[in-house]
Amino acid sequence: MNARRLTGSIAGLLAFGLAISACGSGGTGEGGSTDTLRVWFPGNHAEEMALINDELVPIFEEEHDLNVEVEFIDWGDLAARLSTGFAGGTTPDVFGHGNAAAAGYAAEDRVIALDGYLEQLPEEEVADFTFLDQGVVDDEHIIMPLRGFGHLLAYRADLFEEAGLDPAAAPGDWAELRSAAEALTERDGQTITRAGIVMSTQDTTSMTQAYGNFLFQAGGAFLAEDNATVTWDSEEGVAALEFLVDLYVGEDAVASGLGEATTNAGAQHPLVTGRAAMAVLDEATLKTIHEQAPEVAEDIVVAAPIAEAQSAAFGGAGNGLFISADSSMQDEAWEFIQFLLEPENAKAYVETVGGIPARASLADDPELTEVPYIAPYMAAAEEFQGNPNVELWTQIRDVLGNEVEAALHGVTPPAEALNAAAAEANALLVDN
């Protein structure tokens, strides 16, 4: 990467950093020191680590006369490490996490609201942050998303042609999706040898995301607008789960691989091996397919979001960065976040990691629009809907996920599963 390309707007950023010096605290303290900013990133993506450690951080350090200490922590260890840090006063100044964590950390006063800093920016600058408002908790911006994600239908054009389908005519609604899946499914007796469609269903979280796609398309939502009660047991919610379950259950099933790990499966993904003709894919998984099986990837078409009652798909803000409430370097922490979100750096980030750029202005970037695992997701950015920002969401999601799993295995009828999940989740919301 050309370092000169990344430093074009640093001078302006330095001026901005001076202008906002009153928005946070300075000096020394448990969260950092006068010359070292501590940052934790989640995950262990080798290319991301190289971009941050070898390219971006050295530029920031040189331009800001500041040391940055970066640590990458496995997702599975992140919550425990943060809990230990909060308890012992050793939390980093900046830490990354998923958007779903925002409400919990805000409720516990572990992080600061970012509105004081955002107010210092020009309106057009704030408007350019694609997923900014998805990080709002109780009317305050809590997290700055680094990228977005989404789940879209992808299919093999060559297998469409073999089945007598037009690869230029992507399924547009549920009826067309079901019809295409039936035409594409192959069986040996009662065993599906090639699924018409597969989705990520490797755990209860991914199952709720698969359900969320159809829930949003039906015009439903996980929670009411006031976030006080669940609404997935609505007519729209039941219709969505019935459609999903019918794909997997019964003699006429057209989907297989329930419970199979397909996220980031690359060359082993069923869409690549030919065990599936269509798949609902997130952009990161599609990236691994292009990297590991480019000859097959040439035949993969990514469709626009399915439209039933409305055009929608599960997605939105992905991982982002928080500023610790314990940090004594909050101004410097904000400057670091702003640096990562400068347009060229935001572009470099998604080129490396995948996903939807955090800057709306990059949707027209001539290079990104040519990347097949980025462009279709950028185009659908406004149609992605995600999880609600409520403190107990991860617990509520698990309650729903357990019942969706039971329905997908044919153990519990869809309406009964959703009603049971609603009763348990509503009790959690009342107790909270």
Side-chain angles (χ1 to χ4, degrees):
M1 181 177 299
N2 188 337
R4 185 177 303 169
R5 183 176 69 126
L6 295 171
T7 57
S9 58
I10 298 297
L13 181 61
L14 282 169
F16 168 72
L18 293 174
I20 63 170
S21 60
C23 293
S25 59
T28 60
E30 293 175 338
S33 67
T34 55
D35 60 355
T36 300
L37 185 74
R38 297 175 57 233
V39 182
W40 287 0
F41 282 91
N44 54 7
H45 189 288
E47 293 180 350
E48 179 184 9
M49 295 169 70
L51 173 69
I52 298 296
N53 289 328
D54 301 337
E55 300 188 36
L56 296 180
V57 165
I59 295 172
F60 180 83
E61 289 179 321
E62 180 179 354
E63 296 294 335
H64 290 74
D65 192 24
L66 184 70
N67 295 323
V68 179
E69 180 184 292
V70 174
E71 184 176 357
F72 281 80
I73 299 172
D74 285 345
W75 276 101
D77 299 329
L78 183 60
R81 287 285 304 274
L82 284 168
S83 294
T84 301
F86 290 133
T90 58
T91 317
D93 303 289
V94 180
F95 65 90
H97 212 302
N99 202 61
Y105 287 130
E108 296 169 358
D109 294 323
R110 298 302 191 185
V111 296
I112 67 168
L114 304 174
D115 299 85
Y117 292 112
L118 290 167
E119 289 169 0
Q120 301 294 323
L121 294 174
E123 289 184 6
E124 60 271 18
E125 178 88 355
V126 176
D128 197 40
F129 293 130
T130 311
F131 303 103
L132 180 64
D133 288 344
Q134 293 186 24
V136 171
V137 178
D138 293 333
D139 298 323
E140 292 184 319
H141 292 87
I142 300 299
I143 183 175
M144 289 297 289
L146 290 178
R147 58 184 286 276
F149 75 100
H151 293 221
L152 293 176
L153 179 70
Y155 58 88
R156 290 271 298 270
D158 55 332
L159 299 183
F160 259 53
E161 291 178 343
E162 288 180 11
L165 301 175
D166 181 1
D173 58 24
W174 290 359
E176 291 178 0
L177 179 63
R178 175 76 199 199
S179 177
E182 290 176 350
L184 292 162
T185 300
E186 294 183 347
R187 291 179 171 83
D188 182 3
Q190 296 300 311
T191 302
I192 294 177
T193 56
R194 185 180 75 192
I197 187 171
V198 296
M199 292 166 232
S200 177
T201 56
Q202 60 199 51
D203 52 32
T204 56
T205 298
S206 57
M207 289 179 186
T208 62
Q209 294 174 348
Y211 168 60
N213 270 300
F214 298 114
L215 174 66
F216 297 146
Q217 290 160 13
F222 287 122
L223 301 183
E225 289 187 11
D226 61 2
N227 290 331
T229 56
V230 304
T231 54
W232 61 59
D233 55 344
S234 63
E235 180 180 342
E236 294 83 2
V238 172
L241 188 56
E242 287 177 341
F243 181 79
L244 175 60
V245 168
D246 285 346
L247 295 176
Y248 280 93
V249 178
E251 295 181 356
D252 297 326
V254 293
S256 64
L258 195 62
E260 179 181 355
T262 58
T263 300
N264 296 332
Q268 301 306 311
H269 194 281
L271 198 62
V272 177
T273 63
R275 291 189 295 115
M278 297 190 293
V280 176
L281 296 178
D282 65 278
E283 77 300 326
T285 297
L286 184 58
K287 182 175 185 287
T288 67
I289 291 174
H290 276 269
E291 291 170 343
Q292 298 176 25
E295 68 288 346
V296 177
E298 291 180 357
D299 284 324
I300 293 178
V301 178
V302 181
I306 296 288
E308 189 63 11
Q310 63 180 2
S311 177
F314 186 85
N319 59 297
L321 295 175
F322 297 91
I323 297 178
S324 171
D326 294 333
S327 173
S328 62
M329 302 183 69
Q330 292 174 3
D331 291 344
E332 294 86 347
W334 173 251
E335 289 177 9
F336 181 73
I337 292 173
Q338 282 296 102
F339 171 76
L340 292 182
L341 289 172
E342 285 293 305
E344 290 299 329
N345 298 343
K347 175 182 176 180
Y349 190 76
V350 295
E351 286 177 323
T352 301
V353 179
I356 306 168
R359 291 276 192 169
S361 55
L362 291 173
D364 297 322
D365 182 89
E367 293 177 347
L368 292 182
T369 54
E370 294 298 319
V371 181
Y373 49 82
I374 292 180
Y377 296 88
M378 288 197 304
E382 293 185 358
E383 295 168 280
F384 289 127
Q385 299 181 40
N387 297 318
N389 282 335
V390 294
E391 182 182 355
L392 296 179
W393 174 247
T394 55
Q395 296 178 53
I396 293 170
R397 180 193 62 199
D398 291 344
V399 167
L400 174 61
N402 289 334
E403 293 295 340
V404 169
E405 181 179 31
L408 286 171
H409 282 286
V411 175
T412 309
E416 182 180 330
L418 293 175
N419 287 336
E424 186 175 350
N426 280 327
L428 286 172
L429 288 168
V430 170
D431 290 343
N432 189 54

